[in-house]
């Protein structure tokens, strides 16, 4: 994107206003992606902030081989992978209760032209099952599903972000979708 290139050039010339504009332009997308990866609002905020801190400290080394969007998602993905590794080696006891601010942030409104309580209930149940299924996917599959299906990135951009060949990205997405379909099959029948 031409506007991103101009912002990058300005930020590389130590224009803080330009970098702030980059943050404003991308912070919501990065936060949503990170949150979907780690499922913790507080840690997602921290990792999103860390993404932009790392981008700021290394903006002078940014080269236009990748888009700004791809570069930021790569930084965020690496931070999420590191976070997951640390969580596995240092498990933290967590309450089963969802903090109120996280519960409110994770609920999605389901647009409906007609109020149908049964349909709303089925949609909520499917949403919960989808989140559970996404969490159960291997990390490498979850990353490509989130980047492709939710963030709308191309196969090429995802390949750059995850550092894998294009064919591997397509294969991971195919297998992830198969796994999701298999896990959600019993719930999808209620929608037919």
């Amino acid at each position: 994107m031409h506007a991103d290139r101009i912002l990058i050039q300005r930020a590389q010339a130590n224009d803080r206003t330009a970098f702030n504009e980059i943050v404003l332009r991308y912070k919501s997308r990065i936060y949503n992606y990170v949150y979907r990866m780690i499922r913790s609002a507080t840690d997602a905020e921290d990792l999103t902030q860390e993404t932009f801190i790392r981008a700021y400290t290394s903006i002078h080394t940014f080269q236009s081989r990748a888009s700004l969007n791809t570069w930021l998602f790569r930084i965020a993905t690496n931070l999420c992978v590191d976070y997951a590794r640390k969580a596995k080696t240092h498990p933290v006891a967590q309450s089963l209760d969802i903090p109120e601010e996280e519960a409110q942030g994770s609920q999605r409104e389901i647009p409906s032209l007609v109020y149908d309580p049964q349909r709303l209930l089925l949609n909520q149940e499917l949403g919960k099952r989808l989140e559970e299924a996404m969490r159960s996917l291997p990390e490498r599959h979850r990353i490509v599903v989130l980047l492709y299906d939710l963030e709308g990135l191309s196969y090429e951009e995802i390949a750059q972000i995850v550092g894998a060949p294009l064919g591997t990205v397509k294969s991971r997405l195919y297998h992830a979708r198969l796994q999701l379909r298999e896990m959600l099959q019993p719930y999808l029948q209620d929608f037919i």
Side-chain angles (χ1 to χ4, degrees):
M1 184 183 285
H2 181 67
D4 282 349
R5 270 190 245 132
I6 292 171
L7 284 174
I8 292 166
Q9 290 170 351
R10 287 178 42 208
Q12 288 175 330
N14 297 323
D15 181 348
R16 288 187 179 182
T17 307
F19 191 80
N20 288 340
E21 215 171 305
I22 291 170
V23 172
L24 289 174
R25 186 175 287 185
Y26 287 98
K27 72 178 178 183
S28 293
R29 287 186 70 197
I30 297 296
Y31 172 82
N32 289 333
Y33 169 68
V34 170
Y35 179 77
R36 287 182 184 113
M37 284 294 295
I38 65 170
R39 307 306 299 171
S40 165
T42 304
D43 290 339
E45 288 176 19
D46 291 345
L47 291 176
T48 299
Q49 184 175 7
E50 182 63 25
T51 297
F52 287 106
I53 289 170
R54 289 191 183 187
Y56 182 76
T57 59
S58 59
I59 193 77
H60 296 290
T61 62
F62 177 81
Q63 298 172 351
S64 297
R65 289 187 305 237
S67 70
L68 177 60
N69 186 49
T70 301
W71 185 58
L72 291 171
F73 274 105
R74 183 173 187 122
I75 294 169
T77 298
N78 289 339
L79 287 169
C80 288
V81 169
D82 290 345
Y83 173 90
R85 283 187 191 130
K86 287 177 187 171
K88 284 181 184 175
T89 59
H90 304 293
V92 177
Q94 294 182 352
S95 169
L96 295 177
D97 296 327
I98 299 173
E100 187 175 321
E101 65 273 7
E102 281 188 38
Q104 289 174 353
S106 66
Q107 292 177 345
R108 293 182 181 87
E109 299 229 1
I110 302 167
S112 175
L113 300 174
V114 179
Y115 180 72
D116 179 2
Q118 183 178 8
R119 186 60 139 189
L120 289 174
L121 186 60
L122 286 173
N123 283 341
Q124 288 175 343
E125 181 66 21
L126 182 61
K128 288 178 189 175
R129 299 298 176 193
L130 179 58
E131 286 182 19
E132 290 172 8
M134 286 292 292
R135 278 194 301 266
S136 71
L137 286 177
E139 187 176 74
R140 66 183 187 277
H141 289 166
R142 187 170 61 249
I143 289 170
V144 296
V145 169
L146 290 173
L147 291 174
Y148 188 82
D149 290 327
L150 295 176
E151 297 301 331
L153 299 181
S154 69
Y155 292 125
E156 292 80 9
E157 290 172 309
I158 297 168
Q160 288 179 336
I161 290 168
V162 300
L166 190 62
T168 301
V169 169
K170 290 179 180 181
S171 174
R172 287 178 185 173
L173 184 60
Y174 173 79
H175 289 290
R177 286 177 174 166
L178 280 179
Q179 289 173 323
L180 288 172
R181 187 177 301 127
E182 191 174 296
M183 287 184 269
L184 296 172
Q185 189 64 39
Y187 305 99
L188 293 174
Q189 291 174 357
D190 293 336
F191 284 84
I192 297 174

